[in-house]
Amino acid sequence: MTLAPVQRVDADVAIVGSGFSGSLTALALLQRGMRVVLVERGRHPRFAIGESSTPLANLLIEELADRYDLPGIRAFSKWGTWQRTHPRVACGLKRGFTFYFHPQNQRFEDTADHARQLMVAASPHDDIADTHWYRPDFDHALAREAEAAGAVCFDMTRLEHLRHEGDLSILEGEREGRPVRIAARFVVDATGPRGFLHHALGLEEGPRRWLPGTQGLFTHFEGVKRWDSLNPTPVAPPYPPDDAALHQVFPGGWIWILRFNNGLTSAGAALTDPLAAAIGAPEGAAAWSRLLATLPSVADQFRDARATMPFVHSPRLAFRSARVAGPTWAMLPSAAGVIDPLLSTGFPLTLLGILRLVDLLEHTVPGPEREAALAGYERTTLAELDATEQLVGALYRTMDDPALFKRLSLMYFAAASFSETVRRLGRPHLAPGFLLREHPVFGPELAACASLGATAPQGQPRHELEARIDRVIEPFDTAGLLDRRRRDWYPVLANDLMASAAKLEATPAEIAGLLERAGFSMRE
Ligand SMILES: Cc1cc2nc3c(=O)[nH]c(=O)nc-3n(C[C@H](O)[C@H](O)[C@H](O)COP(=O)(O)OP(=O)(O)OC[C@H]3O[C@@H](n4cnc5c(N)ncnc54)[C@H](O)[C@@H]3O)c2cc1C
């Protein structure tokens, strides 16, 4: 960012934090004629964790771009348009979610019916695939767009005080030795977990209810070998397993491996506290080596790899602020809470929050109506974090039980693919709430099955629970997730969507139109 010419600014909205969420919020508000100041304590390009997008996240980017007339942003929603429009902004190809389940201290082996793996494709070919965002480039590009669109940008700024003068929020701090004073009618916190408003307002941390305590250990590498080159399969999988969010799951945690197109790979582990303690997670690289020593097939991938920056240890991954909004402020969902990288829920939750909050600021004026709307925003944000936490919590409890883990995770894939499809068909009301949380049947059943899954005794027959999960999924399954002949390899097939027309309350012609708009061919 260039040095802002003034150190005193009046704005309609002050956004604190210029990660992707702060900049996207700024761009949308600017398009609605609001004066925006964007305040960042660091300087782009900078490392940020949280890299893997999903079909729903990308659809929300499209919706945001269309609603606020941001064509340059829309190109970031698919691998193909990204490569053609922003070739200098690094990213990775994400064709789906790949899971391999490892018993500790044993090499990976699987059965013909893939008892120890799960692959769920998100796209039928590369051009319309999702991406991993290389955040140093991506966030920098968005911050530049926000500045070019008219946001007043302060980087390297340390905010020290937040106080109120009449109906204005006054943010004071310093930037490179010079005082800064920002007066704004509304403050948006986009600073991530345990961020600016959480401290400035002295807010309480909310409880963790379903997740065990987890820690993070991560960095970027070069030289990570592809899993498919080390473990070729006689039959081609639905997509190359490394062109995906690759999850190596084991009792007590999991490792993500996300490849970028600039030679770097993001990899890290989310570990329950006992496992983190056993490997000495705060010790960084040494702990990583100790973890890999228990996972011989994963270690093969990292045999010649080199970390390109020091390991980051996060002593507590999950976070929840007890409050999310007040009369003149709101946290984006990513500042309000973090559950876990598993299932890549951070981006869609945050993008849903941006769409809601910008709409709210556009259509309400300060006063009781806005306060009621903000109270609703807070309730929705916390409830969506709850639904996510409950499912991810159950997945943590079943990491040593691949069959149940996979069955539970299909609830996520069913809800996510159904939600994306009905939004694309212009029927978002059919999928109320993130993970269909507000659906009168799916919402409560997701919670109930997650709760039963989390407490299911290992090795005991659970036919009842598995049958119940299947019954819950069936009306929303538009991706062949209940077709056991697929042996937990799920491609994206146009025919599955066609066959699901009735579930989607759509005609075959509408489905054909959707497939064409989305870049499918009927052969896929
Ligand atoms: C280990 C891990 C892995 C994850 N992986 C995924 C994933 O694969 N997919 C997914 O969807 N989600 C993932 N998430 C969640 C994801 O990281 C967040 O949703 C995402 O980073 C939010 O982006 P953001 O722009 O809101 O905040 P951030 O990326 O956290 O950016 C916040 C910005 O605010 C600035 N800032 C902080 N404090 C201040 C301050 N006081 N004053 C001024 N500026 C400040 C920071 O410098 C930074 O630039 C992951 C989370 C973790 C912890």
Side-chain angles (χ1 to χ4, degrees):
M1 290 179 199
T2 51
L3 191 69
V6 287
Q7 301 285 305
R8 288 174 75 93
V9 180
D10 292 335
D12 295 312
V13 181
I15 301 171
V16 189
S18 73
F20 82 89
S21 72
S23 295
L24 283 179
T25 308
L27 281 161
L29 292 172
L30 288 161
Q31 286 294 91
R32 289 297 185 260
M34 294 186 215
R35 296 167 307 154
V36 174
V37 57
L38 190 55
V39 189
E40 167 61 48
R41 72 174 173 198
R43 174 166 283 162
H44 290 289
R46 55 92 178 95
F47 172 84
I49 196 63
E51 295 149 327
S52 194
S53 77
T54 60
L56 183 57
N58 283 326
L59 174 61
L60 295 169
I61 296 259
E62 281 180 30
E63 287 186 14
L64 189 95
D66 291 347
R67 191 182 297 176
Y68 298 103
D69 192 18
L70 301 166
I73 300 302
R74 200 178 204 282
F76 284 119
S77 66
K78 291 183 178 72
W79 166 262
T81 48
W82 183 320
Q83 299 310 300
R84 290 188 284 280
T85 313
H86 303 288
R88 291 209 181 85
V89 180
C91 69
L93 174 62
K94 180 176 179 184
R95 290 284 308 279
F97 283 81
T98 306
F99 297 82
Y100 298 113
F101 297 86
H102 302 256
Q104 257 162 337
N105 300 311
Q106 287 177 43
R107 298 199 71 76
F108 178 80
E109 274 179 22
D110 208 354
T111 57
D113 60 352
H114 303 148
R116 305 198 75 85
Q117 62 184 289
L118 169 66
M119 291 182 74
V120 185
S123 49
H125 57 78
D126 292 358
D127 199 55
I128 59 170
D130 299 320
T131 50
H132 309 303
W133 302 345
Y134 181 64
R135 299 284 301 275
D137 284 5
F138 182 62
D139 289 12
H140 194 188
L142 295 188
R144 276 197 308 253
E145 291 263 346
E147 190 174 24
V152 176
C153 295
F154 288 97
D155 62 1
M156 302 302 285
T157 299
R158 180 181 302 276
L159 290 177
E160 278 144 11
H161 308 286
L162 167 65
R163 58 188 174 80
H164 291 96
E165 273 179 18
D167 55 1
L168 291 178
S169 296
I170 310 293
L171 299 160
E172 287 170 322
E174 62 90 19
R175 178 173 195 255
E176 300 191 326
R178 297 169 68 196
V180 168
R181 180 186 187 275
I182 295 161
R185 295 185 185 285
F186 198 84
V187 178
V188 174
D189 186 351
T191 57
R194 305 173 187 86
F196 172 66
L197 282 180
H198 188 71
H199 287 291
L201 299 176
L203 301 175
E204 303 264 304
E205 190 161 338
R208 207 170 3 92
R209 291 163 64 194
W210 297 282
L211 260 180
T214 54
Q215 305 184 25
L217 182 64
F218 50 85
T219 185
H220 282 175
F221 293 87
E222 51 188 20
V224 178
K225 291 197 181 68
R226 290 180 70 95
W227 177 265
D228 55 11
S229 69
L230 297 166
N231 303 277
T233 49
V235 180
Y239 55 86
D242 300 80
D243 295 338
L246 176 50
H247 301 65
Q248 307 284 17
V249 185
F250 43 87
W254 65 284
I255 286 174
W256 66 87
I257 304 176
L258 313 173
R259 309 181 78 87
F260 298 113
N261 61 354
N262 58 2
L264 296 178
T265 297
S266 170
L271 306 166
T272 50
D273 286 342
L275 183 53
I279 63 158
E283 290 170 45
W288 179 255
S289 299
R290 285 192 281 269
L291 178 62
L292 292 189
T294 68
L295 301 163
S297 299
V298 184
D300 288 347
Q301 286 195 269
F302 289 87
R303 185 94 42 224
D304 303 318
R306 187 184 72 84
T308 57
M309 51 174 264
F311 275 82
V312 178
H313 171 238
S314 164
R316 182 56 73 237
L317 278 177
F319 165 76
R320 179 81 67 99
S321 177
R323 294 293 318 277
V324 175
T328 56
W329 60 272
M331 294 179 185
L332 291 182
S334 47
V338 172
I339 304 301
D340 194 83
L342 196 64
L343 305 180
S344 305
T345 52
F347 294 170
L349 285 171
T350 301
L351 289 160
L352 283 166
I354 293 173
L355 285 163
R356 285 187 195 118
L357 188 60
V358 173
D359 194 57
L360 184 161
L361 292 175
E362 185 187 352
H363 292 109
T364 61
V365 291
E369 189 203 358
R370 174 170 287 183
E371 286 175 33
L374 284 162
Y377 172 85
E378 175 171 276
R379 275 194 304 278
T380 303
T381 304
L382 290 172
E384 292 192 336
L385 289 168
D386 275 351
T388 309
E389 187 193 329
Q390 197 161 9
L391 178 58
V392 174
L395 293 177
Y396 263 92
R397 311 247 177 230
T398 53
M399 282 178 174
D400 54 358
D401 186 345
L404 189 51
F405 181 106
K406 290 196 282 184
R407 203 62 149 248
L408 286 166
S409 67
L410 290 185
M411 299 186 86
Y412 162 80
F413 290 110
S417 52
F418 184 83
S419 303
E420 185 209 349
T421 309
V422 294
R423 280 183 97 101
R424 285 196 187 278
L425 286 165
R427 294 175 173 76
H429 59 280
L430 294 179
F434 186 63
L435 294 177
L436 298 171
R437 179 184 61 82
E438 290 174 77
H439 188 279
V441 177
F442 193 95
E445 280 296 289
L446 175 68
C449 292
S451 168
L452 288 168
T455 50
Q458 232 220 312
Q460 301 282 315
R462 313 99 15 149
H463 304 310
E464 230 173 88
L465 174 57
E466 289 174 358
R468 182 167 175 180
I469 292 174
D470 288 357
R471 278 197 304 276
V472 179
I473 289 176
E474 200 283 327
F476 305 93
D477 176 19
T478 58
L481 299 173
L482 296 179
D483 182 352
R484 302 280 172 247
R485 288 165 308 174
R486 298 190 186 184
R487 300 173 304 139
D488 284 332
W489 278 8
Y490 300 101
V492 171
L493 299 176
N495 280 340
D496 285 338
L497 274 185
M498 274 295 178
S500 307
K503 293 179 188 176
L504 297 161
E505 297 184 16
T507 62
E510 282 177 298
I511 303 284
L514 166 77
L515 291 168
E516 196 184 324
R517 282 196 306 282
F520 265 81
S521 106
M522 277 310 288
R523 288 188 309 281
E524 284 163 338

